[in-house]
Amino acid sequence: MLRFSSFDIVFQEIPGEVTLAVNLSGCPNRCPGCHSPWLQQEAGEPLNEKSLELLLNQYGEAVSCVCFMGGDADPDSVGRLAAFVHARSGHTLKTGWYSGKNQLPPSLPLHHFDYLKTGPYIERFGGLASPATNQRFYAVENGHLTDQTHLFQRQATPF
């Protein structure tokens, strides 16, 4: 069962989107240097269609995307909830998933996602904003992943 420990409206996790980021607990990855170690604990409220419906009723008008931050312990439920968001909104809300795994589960229904982030946090490589990052951010287009990691990396501007 998925649990969420918190949520917030964010502007950086999905470029060009106002995103309801739902922080899922119970992360199995245990990345050294993790910026959210409290999400490794199994804590918070159950996340299911009913609780997600309540969040969407409260924030749905203010956001253009829902992103599940974590959930690697139960990727099938993440896929099911992404399908729920698409169906409930008539595909007007986009969906994303931030996974800490290098490989997506073969059973993941890509068509229920608009964006995916993969890869564990490895401190020496940095996060998505680092040119050396091992993490990848993809747009899902017609069932294909298009690498969009460069959108997080600012180009140095000469003075």
Side-chain angles (χ1 to χ4, degrees), residues 1-12:
M1 166 183 23
L2 288 179
R3 293 185 168 279
F4 71 103
S5 66
S6 61
F7 59 89
D8 205 353
I9 306 288
V10 297
F11 303 96
Q12 294 182 350

Side-chain angles (χ1 to χ4, degrees), residues 93-136:
L93 277 178
K94 295 180 181 174
T95 58
W97 181 31
Y98 266 47
S99 169
K101 300 285 188 187
N102 281 320
Q103 299 292 320
L104 295 168
S107 62
L108 188 72
L110 284 180
H111 62 282
H112 292 309
F113 292 94
D114 299 286
Y115 305 101
L116 295 165
K117 191 275 309 176
T118 61
Y121 177 73
I122 299 176
E123 199 166 10
R124 72 179 182 272
F125 297 136
L128 286 171
S130 169
T133 189
N134 63 295
Q135 298 178 324
R136 299 290 15 86

Side-chain angles (χ1 to χ4, degrees), residues 24 26-27 35 65 81 97 109 118-119 152:
L24 303 175
C27 181
H35 63 77
C65 184
L81 291 173
W97 181 31
T118 61
F152 289 86

Side-chain angles (χ1 to χ4, degrees), residues 35-147:
H35 63 77
S36 305
W38 60 90
L39 293 177
Q40 296 172 5
Q41 305 304 313
E42 191 69 42
E45 301 296 318
L47 184 64
N48 52 37
E49 287 83 351
K50 183 178 178 181
S51 57
L52 188 53
E53 176 81 23
L54 291 172
L55 286 174
L56 293 174
N57 285 341
Q58 188 171 359
Y59 296 101
E61 299 281 325
V63 299
S64 60
C65 184
V66 175
C67 188
F68 302 98
M69 310 298 285
D72 287 316
D74 191 356
D76 291 337
S77 290
V78 175
R80 188 186 79 247
L81 291 173
F84 172 77
V85 171
H86 272 170
R88 183 197 178 272
S89 71
H91 289 264
T92 59
L93 277 178
K94 295 180 181 174
T95 58
W97 181 31
Y98 266 47
S99 169
K101 300 285 188 187
N102 281 320
Q103 299 292 320
L104 295 168
S107 62
L108 188 72
L110 284 180
H111 62 282
H112 292 309
F113 292 94
D114 299 286
Y115 305 101
L116 295 165
K117 191 275 309 176
T118 61
Y121 177 73
I122 299 176
E123 199 166 10
R124 72 179 182 272
F125 297 136
L128 286 171
S130 169
T133 189
N134 63 295
Q135 298 178 324
R136 299 290 15 86
F137 179 82
Y138 300 99
V140 182
E141 301 167 340
N142 300 318
H144 299 285
L145 301 180
T146 303
D147 194 329

